[in-house]
Amino acid sequence: MRRMVAETRLHPADLILPAFVREGVSEPVPISAMPGVVQHTRDTLRKAAVEAVEAGVSGIMLFGVPEDTKKDALGTAGTDPDGILQVAIRDVRAEVGDELVVMSDLCLDEYTDHGHCGVLDAEGRVDNDATLERYAEMAQVQADAGVHVVGPSGMMDGQVGVVRDALDTIGKEDVAVLAYTAKYASAFYGPFREAVGSSLKGDRKTYQQDAANLRESMRELALDLEEGADMVMVKPAGPYLDVLAKVADAVDVPVAAYQISGEYAMIEAAAEKGWIERDKAILESLTGIKRAGARMILTYWATEAAQRLAPGTAAR
Ligand code: PBG
């Protein structure tokens, strides 16, 4: 009866798998702070994409990890047509075609030697408008590589509009923009730093939002929609369910939530210690995010959770 009257139902198609691909490795590299998640080789990424399709996952969000020697102040590897992310987009499209919505992180932090999401000015501050020019270029190389959806995640003002224009200019009107609309400067990104080998010292408080603020997210939302966002995202998910609920209530575009690295790590770590029941905690966390209003959920458990949600399996 609980199953019959459940108000919220998770479905494999709700889930999007974030995946890391690292340049120049022949074996996948485990991420110690995210047990079960790896930096893929080009080859294992293709396999992971196929597995996700088979499980019914609807999308994949790709992050590139360049060789350390390729990082520089401008993050040029991010706009190199043969940069690791672009190569990975082509690989995944070649492997799964349109069976997965192929998305890409559009941000410089994986490619800059200082680890910031943008380029810096003479004083070492992130230069919003100079960064927008880099994002425009990134959007174009990612679209040329065949991505379906770009995800500008750097929280620069005006990024959605610039990316939309850049795509339209080269005839990529059909590439959609998933805006990281409400992205908070969060301690829960910790394990992600290891996942992408980030060189960041300091924090992102000058461009990401303050955890204290909700109204600010509504302002960011209005701007992103005006600039042409096709979908919007709230991130992190768990600690920001009120933001998610409010955003979901306010718009008629699809709303995504990103269950981030630290949310993943907390459940895995507690489970490893025997302090919580892992499988139940995972589905409960995802159900909560869906209940709060997410149409799509980015989660490192996407494939596993989708497998467990498959018709005929008793998920709960
Ligand atoms: C920026 C980006 C970050 C994450 C996704 N895109 C890091 C940041 O903003 O500091 C974090 C994802 C996670 O923690 O799982 N490229």
Side-chain angles (χ1 to χ4, degrees), residues 165-280:
D165 282 351
L167 292 169
D168 293 350
T169 305
I170 59 161
K172 297 287 183 187
E173 293 90 355
D174 56 349
V175 172
V177 179
L178 165 59
Y180 283 60
T181 290
K183 181 169 176 184
Y184 286 87
S186 172
F188 295 101
Y189 299 138
F192 179 89
R193 304 265 188 269
E194 181 194 343
V196 298
S198 168
S199 348
L200 182 72
K201 295 180 191 71
D203 60 55
R204 306 199 195 288
K205 286 181 183 161
T206 61
Y207 44 105
Q208 297 181 347
Q209 287 174 238
D210 185 342
N213 295 353
L214 172 60
R215 273 155 34 94
E216 185 183 13
S217 284
M218 303 314 285
R219 178 168 164 71
E220 293 282 356
L221 177 64
L223 290 168
D224 282 355
L225 291 174
E226 202 180 293
E227 292 174 28
D230 299 289
M231 314 170 203
V232 297
M233 175 142 74
V234 174
K235 174 182 179 182
Y240 297 90
L241 292 181
D242 57 331
V243 180
L244 177 57
K246 193 156 177 177
V247 166
D249 266 355
V251 297
D252 54 9
V253 297
V255 175
Y258 197 143
Q259 182 181 54
I260 61 161
S261 56
E263 297 176 74
Y264 177 93
M266 284 192 296
I267 290 182
E268 289 289 350
E272 203 175 290
K273 281 188 167 278
W275 290 347
I276 54 169
E277 285 187 65
R278 176 184 180 279
D279 293 1
K280 286 184 182 159

Side-chain angles (χ1 to χ4, degrees), residues 5-29:
V5 302
E7 295 169 34
T8 306
R9 246 183 260 288
L10 279 174
H11 188 278
D14 298 335
L15 306 176
I16 297 169
L17 177 69
F20 306 103
V21 57
R22 178 160 165 186
E23 188 173 27
V25 290
S26 51
E27 294 293 324
V29 181

Side-chain angles (χ1 to χ4, degrees), residues 14-260:
D14 298 335
L15 306 176
I16 297 169
L17 177 69
F20 306 103
V21 57
R22 178 160 165 186
E23 188 173 27
V25 290
S26 51
E27 294 293 324
V29 181
I31 301 163
S32 62
M34 301 175 74
V37 180
V38 298
Q39 295 173 325
H40 283 290
T41 68
R42 288 178 58 185
D43 207 41
T44 64
L45 176 69
R46 292 172 84 121
K47 292 193 182 110
V50 170
E51 245 179 60
V53 170
E54 284 167 358
V57 167
S58 62
I60 189 164
M61 171 67 80
L62 300 175
F63 294 89
V65 185
E67 286 178 43
D68 270 347
T69 53
K70 299 214 176 137
K71 292 188 182 187
D72 57 25
L74 297 177
T76 41
T79 44
D80 178 351
D82 296 319
I84 182 64
L85 179 55
Q86 285 65 257
V87 167
I89 291 168
R90 276 188 230 112
D91 284 346
V92 172
R93 283 299 310 275
E95 189 71 40
V96 299
D98 289 332
E99 287 186 82
L100 271 185
V101 178
V102 179
M103 309 178 160
S104 51
D105 189 55
L106 199 167
C107 194
L108 283 172
D109 66 317
E110 292 96 337
Y111 310 98
T112 51
D113 50 12
H114 45 72
H116 275 294
C117 294
V119 296
L120 308 181
D121 66 13
E123 272 96 67
R125 295 173 308 197
V126 173
D127 183 333
N128 189 92
D129 293 4
T131 301
L132 294 182
E133 289 173 31
R134 302 287 298 127
Y135 286 180
E137 238 185 290
M138 278 189 106
Q140 293 178 337
V141 292
Q142 293 178 0
D144 281 337
V147 85
H148 295 117
V149 178
V150 293
S153 68
M155 288 302 278
M156 297 300 136
D157 292 339
Q159 63 181 10
V160 172
V162 162
V163 163
R164 181 70 270 158
D165 282 351
L167 292 169
D168 293 350
T169 305
I170 59 161
K172 297 287 183 187
E173 293 90 355
D174 56 349
V175 172
V177 179
L178 165 59
Y180 283 60
T181 290
K183 181 169 176 184
Y184 286 87
S186 172
F188 295 101
Y189 299 138
F192 179 89
R193 304 265 188 269
E194 181 194 343
V196 298
S198 168
S199 348
L200 182 72
K201 295 180 191 71
D203 60 55
R204 306 199 195 288
K205 286 181 183 161
T206 61
Y207 44 105
Q208 297 181 347
Q209 287 174 238
D210 185 342
N213 295 353
L214 172 60
R215 273 155 34 94
E216 185 183 13
S217 284
M218 303 314 285
R219 178 168 164 71
E220 293 282 356
L221 177 64
L223 290 168
D224 282 355
L225 291 174
E226 202 180 293
E227 292 174 28
D230 299 289
M231 314 170 203
V232 297
M233 175 142 74
V234 174
K235 174 182 179 182
Y240 297 90
L241 292 181
D242 57 331
V243 180
L244 177 57
K246 193 156 177 177
V247 166
D249 266 355
V251 297
D252 54 9
V253 297
V255 175
Y258 197 143
Q259 182 181 54
I260 61 161

